[in-house]
Every structure is written in C-alpha cells, then in structure tokens.
Amino acid sequence: MSFPYQIKTKEQYIAAWEKSVADPEGFWADVASSFLWRKRWDNVLQWNFTEPNVKWFSGGKLNITENCLDRHLGSLGSKPALIWEPNDPEEHHRLITYSDLHHKVVQFANVLKNNGVKKGDRVCIYMGMVPELAIAVLATARIGAIHSVIFGGFSAQSIADRLQDAQANFVITCDGAYRGNKEIPLKSVIDDALVQCRFVTKVIVLTRTHTPVSMIKGRDVWWEDEIKKVETMGNPDCPAEEMDAEDPLFILYTSGSTGKPKGVVHTCGGYMVYTTYSFVNVFQYNPGDIHFCTADIGWITGHSYILYGPLSAGATSLIFEGVPTWPDAGRFWDIVDKYKVNILYTAPTAIRSLMGYGLGPVKDHDLSSLKVLGSVGEPINEEAWHWYDENIGKGRCPIVDTWWQTENGGILISNLAGVTPAKPSYATLPLPGVQPVLVDEQGNEITGKDVSGNLCIKFPWPSILRTTYGDHERCRTNYFATYPGLYFTGDGCYRDADGNYRITGRVDDVLNVSGHRIGTAEVENAINMHTGVVESAVVGYPHDIKGQGIYAYIVYDSTHQEEQNLTRQDIAQTVTRIIGAIARPDKIQFVNSLPKTRSGKIMRRILRKIAEGETDSIGDTSTLLDPSVVEEIKNGKI
Ligand code: PRX
C-alpha cells in the first residue's frame, strides 16, 4: 500500500497543518480518498460544538472491515495481519495472514448472525488478549453491530453497569484468560454480572484456559461449536454490511469526574480515516514494518493502534497476551527480538516498572530491529524517557510521545517519528487537523509562548466522539459546556517558546493510575458501599511506578485501632469487587472528619496537598467549617 498523505519532512508537516486549518474540508477529503468507499460522501463536514453535532463524510457508505481486510486480499493476502504471542513463551505463537483473518472474521460474522445479532445491536466483548478478540471485534463491525469491549480487569458489577447502559443483548467471552502467572475466570465473572442483566440473550464462550464454567441452556454457546455449524453450512460468505460514515462503530466506556463511566461513541468513517492517518504519520509506518502496541484491546489504544489503524494500513500488528514482567522482566525485549519488531508503542508505567529491574533483562536481546518507540497514556517523566531512549532505542530511534484520549479516537498531539523533533516529556506539536488552544479558568484564550492553561481543541477532527451513549446531554456538559465553542480535554498544559505542548495532567477529579483513567467519584462510591464507611474522599498522589496512586481518606464509624489493617483490606476488597483491581486504593487513612467548607463542600485541594506530602503549602484554611481537622489529618498521614 502507498500512503499519499504520508508526511516525510518537517516542511511537509507545516504545510499539511496549515492546509488543514485553512481548508479542513479539502484537506480531509484528500486523505479520505485513499480509502475504500462504496459511495462517496455528500458532505465532508457539518458541525457545531453547541449541541454538539459533528458529522464527517456523511452520506458516505463503507464498511471499516472492507478497508481493514478485503482491500488487502489482492496484494497482501499472504502477509501476516496479526502475530499472536501467547502468555506462556513455551506455547506456540500464531501468525494470521490477511487471508486467514478475512476468512475467520467472515466465519464468525456468520456465527453472530446465526445467533440473532443484527445491525445496530450492541455486543459486549469481555475476553483476554487472544486473536479471537480481534476476530470478534471485526466480525461485529462487519455486520454493522456496535461493539463495546470491556477490559478483562473489570469486575462483574462494572460489566453489569456497562451492559445495562448499552442495553447489550449479546456477550462474547472466554472461559478464562491467562495473564502472567494468573488465570482469570472470565466466564464466571460474566455469570455474576448477568444475574443483574436478564436481557442478555446470548453468550458465546471461547475455550482458552479450560477453566470449569457453567453453561446455561438456551443462553450460552461455545464458540467452537458455533464455528462448526458455519462450516457445515459450507462456510458461506458474509458480505460486509453497508454503513453510513456516521453510523456508530463502537462504544467504549471511560471514567469522568462524576458518577458512572460514560459510553463514548465513535462512528465508522471519520474514525477509520483518522486512526489510519495518524498511525501512518506518527509512527512513520513503512510497508513491512512489524508494529507492537502493548496496550490491551479493552482500551482505546488497543482499538485504534492494535486493530483499526494498523490493519487499515495493511500492517502486521502484534498481539501479546501476557504481562511485561512474566516469566521475567525481559519479556518485551524477548518479543522484540523474536519477531524483529520495528515499532514499539507502550506506556510510561511499563517503562518505569521495567527500569526497576535494571539492564540485566535488556542486555541479552537484540533490539536492532527497532526503528520507532512510542509512549502513551500519561505524562512520561524525563528519567523514563532517557532510559527508553538510551537502553531500548540505543539513541537511534525517535520516541513519539503521543497525547490523546478515549474521546479523541486517535493521537492528537505528538511529534512525527524522525520528521518533527522530539522533546523529552513534551507531546510537542498538534497533528494536521488539530487546533489546540489554552484557556484560563474563565475561558479566555491564552495566546503566545511560554504559557500554561487548560487544554481545549477549537475545531473538530474526524475521530472526535459524537456522543455519550444514551445521554447526549452528558456529552455536552462534560466536554462542550465548560468553555462554550470549545472541546475541553480536562488536561492542564504548558506551551513552550517553540510552540511545543507539554501535558501536565488532569485538572478535574480524574486520576491516571498506570495509564488507566479512574474517576475519584467512582472510587468513593465503591468505598462508601462498604459497611461502616460514613464518607470518603479520594485523591491522587505521585507514585514512582504508577504515575499516580490512589489515596483514600475515610470516615469510618467503628474503627478500632487493632483492626485497622484488616478493615483497610476489606475496604480495598470492596473496591475490587465493585470496580476492579485497577481502582484499589494504595493508601487508606482513617480520619474523624473531612475538611469541608461551611456549605459542606469537601476541600480536595487540601487533601491532595497532604497526600502529596506538601503540608507546608496547604494555604488558607480559614474558610473551613472546622480548620482543626487539617492538623489532625496531617498528623495521621501515612
Ligand atoms: O491526562 C491525559 C492522559 O490520559 C488521559 C486520557 O486517558 P484515556 O482516555 O484513558 O486514554 C489514554 C490513551 C489514549 C488524558 O486526558 N494522557 C494520555 N496520553 C498522554 C497523557 N498525558 C500526558 N502525555 C501523554 N502522552
């Protein structure tokens, strides 16, 4: 494949960005022309950020799987689309060519149809990182159903919340999943979730771990049996469903500063165009490159840069089932060496954790195939950046620090590997089509260089979220109402003298723990469900490996000194049950009361300072109802 829109020089980048601002419609129409459309669009862009209402390429007809699979069959049919590295390095890996993948997706699409799934239906996918996860996602998209992948670490309660919100009648899962030395009983978690979700009519279960499972008559079917049925039908074709560019492709739940997670909705056309465009340009993908993104497909990074972006570009994408530290901390480097990986895209938290093991696990592996390194999910500190650069890239691989969000669909701010300059801890410059602005608390634009503010985007790009599922008003208030006319990211940001952007972290009540987004309100709601908890307040604090840790202040009505540790564990267990282990508090401090204003608002600023250990800069406490609680909390800090 060739990519007429691939930017090769800094001058071309500047020209592309300028054209994308001066003539966005012409710019994106040119890019979109490189894709396979059944019918060309009527309008490139219609938009307003007030409702909001954004439509890209509407009237255009396509199916994203024809772009990811069918169009490659002629020239790339025998090329691996996916490489699968199992959790256990002793188990056989799998190479799945574009022809194989096409065949398997068509086959499973027929399974879905046989089980009653139709265009527009919501299908929840809760699986480990096996190739069948990719097949399930693509098969769902092929028949025009809407997938909602849930990360394998979420609890039954979180799954039930998401199933209810999406009104998903179909679930695809595995008996279990392997992650390092753990075996996660996925089907059993689903069974617990489904107690609350009687509307689920079909559960398709893939065999992976041979964990014992209960199969409910009439509802649960085995993946393998269903495939056999399609084979006995003579493996019929499954022509891709014709979708409008603005039909929903998927829902992905993510945390916000209030209440329950929101179902971010992405649509078919703009998402396809932008993920492919950003994949090819940020990573400077060249045909033949092996791309290894270490994210889980349950997060947006996996959707956009394991599946849709790379496959639409005809790349070979590596799926890794396991974890970076098992059987030892050299696992990533082993994989890079084994498959001669060219592009490695991972998270700062993984880099920091691997740094802790020293250079021993790195040194016996040949990393000379690497050409580009990527970072995503949280700010990368300079120490980790340099370690990555020196010891993994050996000083010769550009590092792309890619800033974006679930709601963005694809990378918005990043250097382009080897084309525009990197700067440690800076995401650097916006991609073409992206117009960042910094604003003050009142929404006034902060112009000029060497300034900080809240990061907003003032013009739509093709993969901006369209709505939050079932609640458009929530989408408006969350992203478009804080600063009218702008999309508000929730991030704070600094712009240096050269116009480079450096993301400084969330300015709302959202935590970023090991690159996972968690709302403080969500964790508080889970803690408050524990018996004996009167109230709680959760804040983030700097954590050497995770970036941010979770610090919970809890008012508990029957705390006995000798039982405190047990109670802490019980509360953490409650959070694991309600949300999942990723939201488990790292520190729990029992307090007699929380610092509140006279109107009853918890002063989190103070709690944050204490958790960060900055007790000298707490500032004015005179507006508190009872300023003495601050001293008491300071003295009890853990
Ligand atoms: O705070 C920013 C941080 O992660 C948030 C988005 O989280 P999520 O929707 O889960 O998506 C993560 C993967 C795209 C952002 O609001 N973030 C993401 N990338 C970076 C980052 N912070 C700093 N630098 C980054 N490169």
Side-chain angles (χ1 to χ4, degrees):
M1 271 193 88
S2 66
F3 309 106
Y5 48 77
Q6 189 163 29
I7 296 165
K8 294 284 186 194
T9 62
K10 190 170 177 206
E11 293 66 39
Q12 284 176 10
Y13 160 73
I14 295 167
W17 191 82
E18 283 173 355
K19 170 152 194 214
S20 78
V21 174
D23 175 19
E25 299 199 14
F27 178 84
W28 287 112
D30 280 351
V31 175
S33 301
S34 299
F35 293 78
L36 191 64
W37 298 86
R38 295 230 188 128
K39 174 184 165 288
R40 205 178 154 88
W41 50 88
D42 301 325
N43 297 297
V44 178
L45 172 65
Q46 294 155 297
W47 72 286
N48 71 68
F49 274 176
T50 324
E51 294 174 54
N53 183 9
V54 179
K55 290 190 168 83
W56 281 95
F57 311 115
S58 68
K61 303 290 176 194
L62 78 156
N63 186 291
I64 196 167
T65 71
E66 283 188 334
N67 281 272
C68 291
L69 300 172
D70 304 55
R71 73 163 160 160
H72 302 317
L73 292 180
S75 52
L76 302 173
S78 56
K79 176 183 167 172
L82 300 176
I83 298 174
W84 178 67
E85 169 70 6
N87 181 56
D88 180 350
E90 301 294 316
E91 190 183 339
H92 223 283
H93 69 271
R94 285 167 67 184
L95 295 184
I96 301 177
T97 65
Y98 272 96
S99 300
D100 293 340
L101 187 59
H102 177 264
H103 172 70
K104 287 176 190 301
V105 167
V106 163
Q107 221 178 21
F108 194 67
N110 280 318
V111 166
L112 293 176
K113 279 186 179 170
N114 287 347
N115 281 281
V117 185
K118 294 193 187 58
K119 181 175 180 176
D121 286 343
R122 275 80 55 218
V123 178
C124 159
I125 304 177
Y126 183 69
M127 299 172 82
M129 285 282 281
V130 287
E132 286 75 11
L133 166 55
I135 292 165
V137 166
L138 294 168
T140 306
R142 189 155 187 96
I143 63 169
I146 301 167
H147 54 79
S148 180
V149 184
I150 301 181
F151 171 61
F154 278 116
S155 68
Q157 184 60 51
S158 294
I159 297 168
D161 291 343
R162 286 159 173 75
L163 283 169
Q164 276 157 2
D165 191 79
Q167 283 297 301
N169 295 326
F170 303 94
V171 174
I172 308 171
T173 188
C174 302
D175 50 358
Y178 295 122
R179 275 179 71 76
N181 57 7
K182 292 203 192 91
E183 199 176 303
I184 301 148
L186 297 181
K187 171 65 165 67
S188 149
V189 180
I190 285 288
D191 288 338
D192 288 346
L194 295 196
V195 172
Q196 300 178 47
C197 304
R198 301 282 162 157
F199 52 84
V200 170
T201 53
K202 258 313 155 209
V203 181
I204 303 177
V205 188
L206 177 86
T207 308
R208 171 65 186 129
T209 54
H210 298 276
T211 311
V213 296
S214 82
M215 295 291 282
I216 302 300
K217 199 183 290 165
R219 189 194 71 184
D220 300 352
V221 293
W222 288 106
W223 176 297
E224 296 78 8
D225 293 346
E226 297 303 298
I227 293 284
K228 279 200 198 99
K229 286 186 201 158
V230 172
E231 283 169 345
T232 52
M233 289 160 60
N235 270 324
D237 190 18
C238 179
E241 186 74 32
E242 186 166 287
M243 307 294 286
D244 191 275
E246 279 300 325
D247 281 339
L249 173 64
F250 65 86
I251 305 171
L252 189 57
Y253 284 86
T254 190
S255 298
S257 48
T258 51
K260 287 190 173 166
K262 317 175 267 260
V264 168
V265 175
H266 285 289
T267 54
C268 298
Y271 177 80
M272 170 183 75
V273 169
Y274 195 80
T275 52
T276 315
Y277 178 83
S278 52
F279 172 71
V280 165
N281 279 308
V282 170
F283 300 104
Q284 287 293 301
Y285 169 74
N286 282 308
D289 285 348
I290 311 281
H291 173 74
F292 176 21
C293 167
T294 71
D296 193 286
I297 293 175
W299 306 115
I300 191 69
T301 308
H303 282 57
S304 302
Y305 299 111
I306 296 180
L307 296 182
Y308 288 115
L311 294 179
S312 159
T316 298
S317 183
L318 198 151
I319 299 182
F320 173 41
E321 185 182 32
V323 296
T325 48
W326 193 84
D328 59 52
R331 195 65 197 279
F332 277 179
W333 324 127
D334 188 39
I335 295 172
V336 169
D337 190 349
K338 182 169 170 189
Y339 301 105
K340 304 296 167 223
V341 167
N342 305 112
I343 305 168
L344 173 69
Y345 190 28
T346 193
T349 190
I351 299 168
R352 286 191 298 264
S353 128
L354 295 175
M355 278 167 72
Y357 291 85
L359 292 177
V362 183
K363 71 176 184 333
D364 294 332
H365 299 289
D366 176 8
L367 304 181
S368 60
S369 57
L370 286 172
K371 295 198 285 196
V372 174
L373 301 177
S375 171
V376 61
E378 46 177 321
I380 179 164
N381 48 313
E382 291 207 30
E383 197 192 350
W385 195 100
H386 287 295
W387 189 88
Y388 200 27
D389 179 40
E390 284 158 28
N391 301 301
I392 307 306
K394 316 285 184 199
R396 49 169 194 79
C397 301
I399 297 180
V400 287
D401 179 354
T402 65
W403 173 84
W404 59 297
Q405 313 175 295
T406 304
E407 296 84 346
N408 307 155
I411 298 164
L412 294 195
I413 304 182
S414 173
N415 49 317
L416 310 182
V419 172
T420 59
K423 178 169 179 179
S425 81
Y426 282 72
T428 74
L429 299 172
L431 262 68
V434 178
Q435 301 184 37
V437 287
L438 301 183
V439 298
D440 64 19
E441 292 297 329
Q442 285 70 44
N444 304 309
E445 183 167 346
I446 303 169
T447 53
K449 309 284 169 81
D450 188 17
V451 288
S452 294
N454 289 346
L455 178 62
C456 296
I457 317 280
K458 70 173 171 200
F459 195 86
W461 60 99
S463 60
I464 186 173
L465 86 161
R466 301 301 196 263
T467 188
T468 45
Y469 191 79
D471 191 352
H472 193 64
E473 177 58 12
R474 192 159 178 214
C475 173
R476 190 186 71 78
T477 48
N478 262 285
Y479 306 107
F480 298 93
T482 316
Y483 304 116
L486 300 174
Y487 165 83
F488 177 40
T489 64
D491 278 320
C493 186
Y494 167 71
R495 184 168 54 219
D496 76 0
D498 300 317
N500 289 307
Y501 290 89
R502 179 177 200 264
I503 311 301
T504 48
R506 303 285 306 195
V507 293
D508 53 10
D509 290 326
V510 171
L511 306 179
N512 194 330
V513 180
S514 300
H516 300 147
R517 232 165 107 168
I518 300 167
T520 53
E522 258 178 281
V523 184
E524 287 163 9
N525 290 344
I527 291 174
N528 295 349
M529 287 178 76
H530 190 84
T531 179
V533 171
V534 178
E535 63 176 340
S536 63
V538 164
V539 297
Y541 71 97
H543 188 288
D544 285 349
I545 307 248
K546 298 178 178 186
Q548 265 189 316
I550 301 179
Y551 197 120
Y553 298 90
I554 298 179
V555 181
Y556 189 71
D557 77 355
S558 56
T559 315
H560 302 298
Q561 196 57 38
E562 63 279 14
E563 288 175 4
Q564 279 202 358
N565 269 335
L566 195 56
T567 312
R568 280 195 185 94
Q569 287 172 31
D570 290 347
I571 292 173
Q573 187 58 23
T574 302
V575 176
T576 304
R577 273 237 168 269
I578 304 290
I579 305 176
I582 55 171
R584 236 180 128 88
D586 297 279
K587 293 187 179 179
I588 292 179
Q589 180 180 347
F590 294 111
V591 297
N592 288 325
S593 53
L594 295 168
K596 288 185 182 170
T597 60
R598 288 189 182 85
S599 59
K601 191 171 166 279
I602 297 173
M603 292 280 275
R604 283 160 197 288
R605 180 180 57 77
I606 294 175
L607 294 173
R608 228 175 275 133
K609 288 276 180 212
I610 298 175
E612 286 166 0
E614 291 184 23
T615 41
D616 294 340
S617 56
I618 283 180
D620 184 19
T621 56
S622 60
T623 55
L624 291 178
L625 186 61
D626 176 7
S628 72
V629 300
V630 176
E631 271 320 296
E632 189 200 309
I633 295 175
K634 265 163 61 177
N635 295 337
K637 180 180 181 309
I638 41 174

